[in-house]
Amino acid sequence: MAELHTLSVLTLDEPGILVRIAGMFTRRGFSIQSITSGETETEGVNRITVVVETETLPIEQITKQLNKLVPVLKVVRQPPETMVSRGLLMVKVSCDNTNRPQVVDAANLFRARVVDVSQESVIIEATGERSKLVALLEVLEPFGIRELIQSGTVAMARGPKPMLQTR
C-alpha cells in the first residue's frame, strides 16, 4: 500500500543537484508531493526535504541510489513518529465588514495570523503539519478562497542529535 515518505537529503551546494534528485524520482514514476531546499548550519551544505507517495520497498531503493550521487552526503528517511514537519500556507479569503470577524476568528482558531486586510479580502498565514493546513482551508472555503500558495514540507528528527556531525 502506498504511503507518504519523507526523506532528508544533505548535499554539497552544487548547481543542478536539486534537478538531479527530482529526476531520480521522476524517472521511476514517483509523484513528488513536496520538495524543498535550503542552507544548513554548515557552510556549503544544503538540505533537501522530499515527500513522496510510494511503497516501502521502492523508497528504500531510491534512498540507496540517492546515496550513490557524488554531492549527496547523507540520506535519512524520517519516520512520522520521530519527526517534526511543517509547511507554510498563505491564503487570500474573500470577506467584507459583515463576515470579516468570522474569518479572523477562524484564523485564530488555527493559530494562524492575518497578515493583510483590505476592503474585500484578508490574507492569512499559517504554519503546521499538512493535516492542520488542510483543515484550515476547509473552514475558510465557505467564505471564498481567492488565492492560495503553499510551501513544501520541511522536516527534522526529534532529539538533540544533528543530521550531520561536523566535528
Side-chain angles (χ1 to χ4, degrees), residues 20-44:
R20 288 175 61 194
I21 288 173
M24 287 187 72
F25 288 91
T26 303
R27 284 191 299 279
R28 285 152 186 80
F30 296 140
S31 176
I32 294 174
Q33 301 291 316
S34 167
I35 188 166
T36 60
S37 177
E39 297 175 345
T40 66
E41 70 283 358
T42 305
E43 188 174 335

Side-chain angles (χ1 to χ4, degrees), residues 13-149:
D13 185 10
E14 291 186 6
I17 186 61
L18 186 61
V19 172
R20 288 175 61 194
I21 288 173
M24 287 187 72
F25 288 91
T26 303
R27 284 191 299 279
R28 285 152 186 80
F30 296 140
S31 176
I32 294 174
Q33 301 291 316
S34 167
I35 188 166
T36 60
S37 177
E39 297 175 345
T40 66
E41 70 283 358
T42 305
E43 188 174 335
V45 176
N46 284 357
R47 184 171 179 152
I48 300 169
T49 305
V50 183
V51 179
V52 64
E53 186 172 8
T54 187
E55 310 280 329
T56 300
L57 187 58
I59 202 67
E60 290 173 4
Q61 292 170 344
I62 198 91
T63 299
K64 290 176 185 174
Q65 292 171 343
L66 285 170
N67 274 312
K68 291 179 184 178
L69 288 176
V70 172
V72 171
L73 303 172
K74 188 172 185 177
V75 179
V76 174
R77 197 165 132 225
Q78 302 283 1
E81 63 277 2
T82 62
M83 75 170 178
V84 176
S85 67
R86 296 289 182 266
L88 168 69
L89 165 77
M90 288 179 57
V91 58
K92 187 181 295 181
V93 182
S94 295
C95 66
D96 55 28
N97 290 335
T98 61
N99 65 358
R100 184 171 292 110
Q102 294 171 299
V103 173
V104 171
D105 286 346
N108 290 336
L109 181 67
F110 286 87
R111 294 191 181 122
R113 295 181 336 132
V114 174
V115 294
D116 186 70
V117 177
S118 72
Q119 291 291 334
E120 298 175 353
S121 67
V122 297
I123 297 177
I124 297 169
E125 169 191 270
T127 59
E129 292 185 1
R130 180 181 169 99
S131 59
K132 173 189 170 182
L133 300 179
V134 168
L136 173 61
L137 288 175
E138 288 173 358
V139 168
L140 295 175
E141 183 68 37
F143 297 104
I145 294 176
R146 290 187 173 194
E147 188 176 1
L148 75 90
I149 186 165

